[in-house]
Amino acid sequence: MNWVYLILAGVFEMIGVLMINKLHKDRNLMSIILLVAGFGLSFLFLSLAMKTLPMGTAYAVWTGIGASGGAVLGMIFYGESRNALRILFIAMVLGSAVGLKLVS
């Protein structure tokens, strides 16, 4: 269950990052609420996951999901570059997160 919490923490981190960009474009109350909720839930689920998972592994996987997910969402929603090298490096970050899961 702790790995599920960690994945949820990463997903909510992605939502928080997405809302930062949305807040820059649309300064409204809903953007602020979604930003705070995204990061708040991210930290909540990260803390639940860290009850049994090692701190280093949990933090590395959480930041990997958040960073690569944020980059992918930027490509999908904001037209950011989709060149092959960028996608390769995103895949490497995700591969590292999976590798940490396999050795934990």
Side-chain angles (χ1 to χ4, degrees):
M1 191 67 187
N2 294 309
W3 282 99
V4 173
Y5 289 148
L6 189 57
I7 290 168
L8 285 172
V11 168
F12 283 113
E13 180 77 6
M14 290 168 30
I15 292 169
V17 169
L18 190 65
M19 290 301 108
I20 290 173
N21 203 11
K22 182 162 176 46
L23 185 64
H24 284 292
K25 294 179 186 286
D26 303 323
R27 293 210 177 257
N28 58 39
L29 184 60
M30 185 54 74
S31 295
I32 294 170
I33 290 169
L34 291 172
L35 178 123
V36 171
F39 284 127
L41 289 169
S42 176
F43 283 118
L44 171 71
F45 283 113
L46 178 62
S47 70
L48 292 173
M50 288 177 62
K51 286 185 178 182
T52 58
L53 294 176
M55 179 192 65
T57 301
Y59 183 73
V61 171
W62 175 66
T63 57
I65 293 170
S68 59
V72 169
L73 291 176
M75 288 185 239
I76 293 170
F77 293 111
Y78 297 107
E80 295 179 3
S81 171
R82 294 181 177 149
N83 71 42
L85 281 177
R86 187 168 189 204
I87 293 170
L88 170 69
F89 291 126
I90 290 170
M92 289 171 65
V93 169
L94 289 175
S96 298
V98 170
L100 284 170
K101 158 88 173 99
L102 294 175
V103 299
S104 292

